[in-house]
Amino acid sequence: MLMGNCLLLFLWCLLDKSFVSPLHSSTQSRMAKEHHRNLMAHRKHGMMGAHRVKRGWVWNQFFVLEEYMGSDPQYVGKLHSDLDKGDNMVKYTLSGEGVGSIFAVEPSTGDIHALRSLDREEKPYYTLRAQAVDVLTGRPLEPQSEFIIKVQDINDNEPRFLEGPYTASVPEMSPVGTYVTQITASDADDPTYGNSARIVYSILHGQPYFSVDAKTGVIRVALPNMDREVKEMYQVVMQAKDMGGQLGGLAGTTTINITLRDVNDNPPRFSKSIFHLRVLESSPVGSSVGRLRAHDLDSGKNADVEYSIFPADGGSLFDIHSNKHTQEGTVILRKRLDYETRKAYTFKVEASNVVLDHRFLHLGPFKDTATVKVNVLDVEEPPVFSRPSYSMEMYEDTPVGIIAGAVTAEDLDVGNSPVRYSIEWRTNSENHFDIDPVEGTLSVNDALDRERNAEHNVTVVATKVNNPLLSSKVTVTIKVLDVNEFPPELAFEYATFVCENAKVGQVIQIISATDRDVPAVKHRFYFKSPSHIRNRNFTIRDYGNNTAGLVTRQVGFRRMQQNAYLVPVVVEDGGYPIRSSTGTVLVRVCACDTDGSMLSCSAEAVFFPMGLSTGAVMAILLCIVILLVMVMLYIGVRRDKKKDTLMSSKEDVRDNVIHYDDEGGGEEDTQAFDIGTLRNPKGIEESAQSRKIRSDDQCGVPVSTEEDEDIRAYIHHCLHEDTISNSEPPYDSLVTYAYEGEGSVAESLSSIESWVLDSKEDYRSWGPRFKTLAGIFKEHESKTTANSETRPHTEERLD
């Protein structure tokens, strides 16, 4: 590098002495002459600069070497104008990049110098502007000109690998020439000038395994059949040298770590041909018996091994699971072992690769086999029941002491110890059973009730006599069978309605039943009406599916006659013995529309078909009652006024009839007539025995006595008043006594209607109670007929 720089300096000096100086001298003479002419023109015309002066600059591109190490400023070049006559009348100025700090110009001579060392990699060139001015006036003699100072490159930068160290990989067993990777370096020197940036690559360390292309930096495999299992990692040192690799060039190095990628070129291999394993006979199903491993020199997926058991001697009792992480095979127990039955098992295991590479199948089968022998170790075990669980059945009415069933257990060990049985006691449940400790029979010790507990679970414990610590348990399920002890009942308290316009055969209610008993098969219920009661209104129709219908047997119902019915229903079950019960269905009689929909069943609906509410009906009834009370009070007041008027009139001929108060001698007076007979019809029966009545052959007229004469005279008098004036209101003794009585079979005999009696009235139809009265009327009728022309008009007054 130093020799190159010296050579460049030498060439520059030759050029500077032979070409630059003559050029400067000729240029100076021309510039002096031109300057003189310009000055003369200026003096002559007095207007220098008024006309454009032809440019007299001589320009070349200036160069400056980078990394100058001299003590004096480095000479760059010289500025000169044709107007410069050498009389120091022209001054040169310089402006632009780095002026003053990097570059300086001598004002009188125009020499340019670099004040410090430059670096092309930092800045390759500088742009400056030069100006020639008159010393006296300071005015520019020519226009300003721009030029470039270029920093000339020297080989001062070595090639660099910017991203090292590098890593790469290539499959093992790759052929020669297989591409591995490409590594390139960079040089900061100028690639357009000389060979400073021309790089050549070479391998310093890593041969003969790999090679590199000198121009491109591509690394390839140089040795065939490189085996990862022999050596996996290779370290390659690569060099990059500039100047085309010539002597004196700069160089840089880097490291590439190349890894051989695995391929499946190795089969799995067992370390030995026979594996011995041991297992306890008490080991549970699914437990591990032992582990096997077939080694594979490959890695990753190429080393995955799958284990399998040949379907031979132990294939049904054992299984093997492959572990991808440890590449091991774990032998698993599939069934329980019994030392007393068999003490050893032998089977074969195969190990094979999961992923195969067809390029290497010619190397042989990628699998291996080994023999496994499993020895069963004897363990003292608890008794074993003949079944995993027991199920028994008993009726709920089974007496205490009856045996429900038995359990059996035995010791399968060589010692064959006796077994004793017991029931595991539970504090949170009732214990209804006992067990015989020797025979293992279960018997009932308490009454069973299926409705309370339909199933009992009993845990039976079997214990070895020789080793009480060894015991086993089994569950015994005892189902309590149902006995038909409860009668069926109606499912609900049925209450329905029947329309007043119901027809015969109309179903008004579907009924069902329930039973607390739970038979072995499905319930079967039978419905019917009681045999001792004949119901003319309703009947029961059994549908045969545990339901029945309540059916009408007549046409129409009347709420006014009966507004509700209680229909008895007999329900029987199908058990043994047969149980039955009688329920009642309430049926109300309601008013319905034409579609059979219920309108109303209440009593007020009969009187108020418009459907008034109960409150409205009560209000109407209350108003009616108040009106009736007011009317009765009014009538009572009017009646009192009339009664006072009549009784106070002394001139009324009927006063003695109204005020007649001859009551006779009372109960002790047996001579007077019994006036109570007229007041109370019941008295007729009491007095009929003491009276003498004429026989029927004497026209029904009774024998005349003293009392009869008085009564006859009184009746004739009343009849005579009726004959005199039929328009006047009848006032008789019946009105005076004001007794209405309890009614009469012969209806009213008042004189109010006596005037309308038929003349041909048959008085014998009045009955035996009124024989006397009938005779009086008949006698009166006879006299009236005989004296119809001369009937006396007399008025009799009674005192």
Side-chain angles (χ1 to χ4, degrees), residues 494-530:
Y494 290 99
T496 185
F497 71 95
V498 62
C499 298
E500 288 185 313
N501 56 354
K503 299 178 181 179
V504 177
Q506 183 175 345
V507 179
I508 62 174
Q509 179 66 45
I510 301 297
I511 58 179
S512 60
T514 59
D515 196 334
R516 287 184 290 172
D517 293 317
V518 181
V521 295
K522 188 178 180 181
H523 277 295
R524 180 65 176 94
F525 299 119
Y526 302 91
F527 302 86
K528 62 181 180 179
S529 298

Side-chain angles (χ1 to χ4, degrees), residues 75 122 179 283 289 301 347 353 373 440 542 558 608 638 652 676 685 760:
Y75 179 75
E122 181 180 348
Y179 174 86
S283 299
V289 178
K301 293 183 179 180
F347 54 89
N353 279 136
K373 291 185 177 181
D542 194 335
R558 297 292 179 267
F608 299 95
R638 294 292 301 272
D652 194 343
E685 298 178 358
K760 298 180 179 181

Side-chain angles (χ1 to χ4, degrees), residues 69-84:
M69 305 300 293
S71 58
D72 297 330
Q74 183 181 1
Y75 179 75
V76 178
K78 187 178 181 63
L79 299 177
H80 187 73
S81 175
D82 293 340
L83 299 178
D84 188 1

Side-chain angles (χ1 to χ4, degrees), residues 257-276:
N257 296 317
I258 300 175
T259 303
L260 295 182
R261 295 197 302 270
D262 181 66
V263 297
N264 192 10
D265 58 342
N266 294 280
R269 291 288 182 263
F270 284 107
S271 59
K272 51 187 177 180
S273 59
I274 299 177
F275 292 87
H276 294 275

Side-chain angles (χ1 to χ4, degrees), residues 541-552:
R541 181 183 300 169
D542 194 335
Y543 293 129
N545 58 353
N546 291 341
T547 61
L550 182 61
V551 184
T552 59

